[in-house]
Amino acid sequence: FSHMGIFSLFLLRPLILAISSGLTFQSYEVRQEERTSMSLEPRKAVSAQDGFSLDFDLRIRYRDCFGYLFRFIDENLNHIDLVSNHNASQYSFSLGNPDGILAKVEIAVEHPYSWKHLSLRCSTDTVSLSIDGCRWVLPSAPLRLGTFNLFFGSVDHERYGVHDIPYFTLKNLVL
């Protein structure tokens, strides 16, 4: 019986370590339908009449992986995207609507495979992203904020679905 207890404790230890280190998103190493997707409120949209802020920590886990880290889609089909390029040393931060991309900023990322703290701030006239304290603002961002969905990783959306995601880990998410 005591051997079984030690064995059980040994089996639980990796699970506890995995939880404390965040959620790792499966990417190109698995079939498209098995890639990780996370929606903050999958059954209904979140309200943000006066704007919102989102903070989280992120770590790209593997080189040479292109893909969407997050996609914000509001009720008017405006979208805000953060995309990692192929070597994770540059992110594309963009604002778009059904007609196309309205604004885009390319962000060089130092030490791309270490943990990064990201902060997204949205109001009716400003959309900004901070990575480890460095801030970028998207020009001309008139948003009529109402309700929105926020997705990390793979996105199943009738108009803006994406399945190209990098292998990354997310933790400490605060909306």
Side-chain angles (χ1 to χ4, degrees):
F1 182 79
S2 65
H3 293 295
M4 186 60 97
I6 291 171
F7 181 70
S8 297
L9 182 60
F10 179 74
L11 285 177
L12 288 177
R13 184 172 177 194
L15 177 62
I16 293 168
L17 292 175
I19 291 170
S20 67
S21 62
L23 172 63
T24 298
F25 286 70
Q26 293 189 47
S27 178
Y28 294 99
E29 72 278 3
V30 298
R31 293 187 325 233
Q32 181 174 318
E33 57 273 5
E34 295 174 356
R35 294 179 186 169
T36 309
S37 177
M38 184 178 82
S39 173
L40 289 188
E41 188 61 52
R43 290 184 182 83
K44 63 179 180 169
V46 177
S47 178
Q49 297 294 338
D50 298 322
F52 72 94
S53 62
L54 174 72
D55 289 273
F56 58 94
D57 296 325
L58 175 113
R59 180 177 174 203
I60 302 292
R61 306 295 294 197
Y62 185 72
R63 343 175 68 153
D64 300 326
C65 280
F66 163 82
Y68 285 77
L69 298 166
F70 72 75
R71 174 162 265 187
F72 158 101
I73 305 170
D74 76 4
E75 63 190 295
N76 301 309
L77 296 179
N78 295 307
H79 55 93
I80 300 169
D81 303 321
L82 183 63
V83 179
S84 171
N85 75 354
H86 288 282
N87 64 10
S89 63
Q90 188 170 12
Y91 295 161
S92 294
F93 177 49
S94 62
L95 171 67
N97 66 21
D99 297 325
I101 300 298
L102 301 174
K104 184 175 181 179
V105 176
E106 299 294 334
I107 301 170
V109 180
E110 292 184 25
H111 312 291
Y113 308 108
S114 63
W115 282 104
K116 304 288 180 205
H117 180 75
L118 286 80
S119 298
L120 175 68
R121 305 283 182 260
C122 292
S123 67
T124 55
D125 60 352
T126 303
V127 176
S128 68
L129 178 71
S130 297
I131 301 176
D132 289 339
C134 295
R135 184 173 181 244
W136 292 268
V137 177
L138 291 175
S140 64
L143 292 176
R144 290 187 324 239
L145 294 173
T147 58
F148 68 92
N149 288 301
L150 180 62
F151 303 92
F152 286 89
S154 185
V155 177
D156 287 324
H157 185 273
E158 61 275 1
R159 182 157 184 161
Y160 294 127
V162 294
H163 300 288
D164 292 329
I165 65 171
Y167 182 45
F168 70 100
T169 301
L170 178 71
K171 68 179 185 178
N172 302 329
L173 181 69
V174 178
L175 179 61

